Amino acid sequence: MFLLLLLLGAGYSITNAQAIDSIVFKNKFVERKFIIKNNEFTTKSYKNLLSGQDYGRPGSEEFDFKISNESVSGAGKNASFKFLKKELVRTADGAQQLTVFLEGIPGTPADKMQVELQYILYDELPVIRKKIEIVNNSSKSVAITDLDVERLNLEPISQQESEIYSYYGTHIGWRPFVGDHHDAAVLVYNTYAKEGYIIGNEAPSVLKRTEVFTKYYSIGAGMTRLNDHYPFKKWLDPGQKFTSPGTFICMVKFTRWEDAFEGYFADFIRTRLGVKLYEKKEIPFVAYNTWIPFGGNLNDSLMCQLADALKSTKSDLLIIDDGWQSNYGDWVPDKRKFPNGMKPAFDYMNKQGIKGGLWVGLASVDVNSKVYKEHPEWAFRDKDGKPTYLHDGARGRVTMSLGSPYYDYILQRIKDLVKENSLSYIKLDLAIANSAYILDYDRKGDYGFEGKTYRDHESSYYAIYERALQLFDELHAAYPQLLIDCTYEVWGEYYVNDFALLEHADYDWLTNYNDKAPIGPINIRQMSYDRTRVIPAATSLIGNQFMNSPYSKYTYLSLASSKPIFVGDPRKLSVDLKLWFAKWNSWFKMMDQKYQFIRFTQTSDIFPRATLTNWDGCYKFNKEKQGGVLFFYRNGSLEKTRTFNMPLADSATMYKLTDPETGKTFGKILGKTLLEKGITITIPNQFEAKVLGIEKI
């Protein structure tokens, strides 16, 4: 009786205590009703309580996948499981968890298989998150493919009135829709009722697949199909279990579709998704990378000189990029460049108050390296069975498999480098399963399986990404404050970032723009604009802009609205520019301590995407603390003055706007005035920026 009362208090209802036939999973924002009928478990209704509309439609399968190429699901024509039991609990951090156990029906492909459906509902959000665990209780190995963690009939009032916003919320599409690796979140939005839902997919990299209305009202979120370019396949031996990546559905109701990504969805990503970067006690604001102009021309004396120059700018992180090592694979310092190892250089940086970072190729090794000579069997193989290099075809190099004992080798080598050099950041680079630069799909994945954690080419993809996530987790377990940068080259596609990466690593070096300012900074703001509806701006690193250029200030303030990371030669900075950098770096870090502004980005329909001829910007405003930073950019526009809406203000609050450039108060304005009249900004010259602090008085 006590348990029943506890469950009901957590938002569940049970229609019949003797023969349970339904479960209601509910908070004040969303209600999902499950029904158990003829031993089948499925979703009966799915209400958006922000509007009161029920989006559920008959015939939901709840999930589906293939077992050794035979289709199974929770309900419908491929129903292959019967309901066993459920567990309903409430967590200490304000969430409800529902676990449903299903058992394969004898005579179906799911015989001797068990499925565990895991749902979580957060008290303060209209979000239900889901995973599926599959257990092989049979006596033979089976292959799991074509997995949809969610497979529902879910229509926001009308398909015909619904638009689909994909590709990080930048592209408007129509039904039927099939999303790929760029679709960690897809908005389905009824343009007349101004409501709908966001489908989130936490599968890693190229293995994501999200469908909307490919079959009537059906949506699906999970993994790629066996016949896709990048297939998902997972072998389960007898007694083995597999837990899927997560999915989630976030209900929305906003007059403007852009606000759907900046409301509860953004709150979920910031507070509940599990962004690793946000767990850090201290997040560096400004980073510097040696790649340009120094390339491989590195040595310990140069590192100390760079640290001296960066100290006076109050930069936080110095990253030594490619070129420090004697070869790819053994990952030991080149004695000609660092005769006493790298520790003296990193010790010197730390004494200057600058954290140290290091670049490592995660799976790329030279054929003359000790590790390859001793273990050539750890390498990827091509279709002809020969060792191959996935990245870009460089001679004398191969890709090692994280699904082999190489995993233990490289994990320990990275740990040693972090420990020996007191590193704060590690940049892991180059292809591990497929190259972002090679379009021949026959040259991707591993065709050699002996001694590895996969059995065939198709299963090599997920096994490699799974091991990469495991490696990130093990590094974080050993060094909780270590910042891990998983580059887009590791993740396998240009410009790709997703929730799996954010949940296990800290950063994604997303891309590089080598155009000189002002074009380069505009390119970076464009990429940030294109990603930050879905992916937090602070988690994406975008190079390669120079500290020392005629547009240094415009460049810096452009990058400050996303993540400042620079190249160039800081020794050439003028004294005045060093002082300017130091002033701004100190101010931004002070504002982030007060308002955590780097965790927020608001553009909605206030700011357009940057071009060479317009104005753009963004707000990074913490509504909970009523403070943050406002960014405005005049590009090549002929207009010197613009007025921008400020819809985030509280009408009854008085705000102080501060200009850090002059140190003066820009104005004291009532929230009601900001809401009704906005903010008027004057920037006298083209390709300049204005940044304001905003705080409640």
Side-chain angles (χ1 to χ4, degrees), residues 574-593:
S574 68
V575 172
D576 287 345
L577 193 53
K578 286 181 179 179
L579 291 173
W580 187 88
F581 276 125
K583 177 183 72 175
W584 276 99
N585 286 338
S586 297
W587 183 80
F588 278 124
K589 284 183 274 192
M590 177 270 293
M591 290 296 286
D592 195 51
Q593 288 177 355

Side-chain angles (χ1 to χ4, degrees), residues 452-471:
K452 297 173 181 173
T453 58
Y454 39 89
R455 299 188 183 190
D456 46 37
H457 176 250
E458 293 90 346
S459 60
S460 69
Y461 290 100
Y462 185 73
I464 296 300
Y465 282 109
E466 187 177 40
R467 293 281 265 182
L469 298 177
Q470 181 183 342
L471 184 139

Side-chain angles (χ1 to χ4, degrees), residues 254 258-267 533 601-604:
F254 292 98
E258 298 97 331
D259 290 341
F261 288 105
E262 296 185 5
Y264 292 117
F265 171 81
D267 293 339
R533 282 199 178 107
T601 303
Q602 297 106 353
T603 57
S604 189

Side-chain angles (χ1 to χ4, degrees), residues 525 554 557-558 561 606-607 614-619 629-635 642-646 657-658 666 678-683 687-694:
R525 296 205 310 275
Y554 177 73
L557 294 176
S558 291
S561 64
I606 304 165
F607 297 101
N614 71 351
W615 284 62
D616 70 288
C618 72
Y619 296 148
V629 181
L630 314 178
F631 294 84
F632 306 91
Y633 304 100
R634 179 188 173 190
N635 303 315
R642 282 280 183 95
T643 298
F644 296 92
N645 293 337
M646 179 49 182
L657 276 65
T658 305
F666 181 84
I679 301 173
T680 299
I681 301 295
T682 298
I683 299 180
F687 303 110
E688 288 186 352
K690 172 73 76 174
V691 175
L692 300 176
I694 181 170

Side-chain angles (χ1 to χ4, degrees), residues 2 61 94 129 246 254 263 289 570 603 617:
F2 174 75
E61 297 171 297
R129 205 171 185 181
F254 292 98
N289 183 276
T603 57

Side-chain angles (χ1 to χ4, degrees), residues 65-80:
F65 57 92
K66 288 184 178 179
I67 301 174
S68 298
N69 216 32
E70 296 285 341
S71 296
V72 299
S73 64
K77 67 176 183 178
N78 295 319
S80 304

Side-chain angles (χ1 to χ4, degrees), residues 99-116:
T99 306
V100 176
F101 298 86
L102 307 175
E103 182 179 65
I105 299 172
T108 71
D111 189 14
K112 301 293 194 302
M113 302 292 290
Q114 181 176 304
V115 160
E116 183 179 311

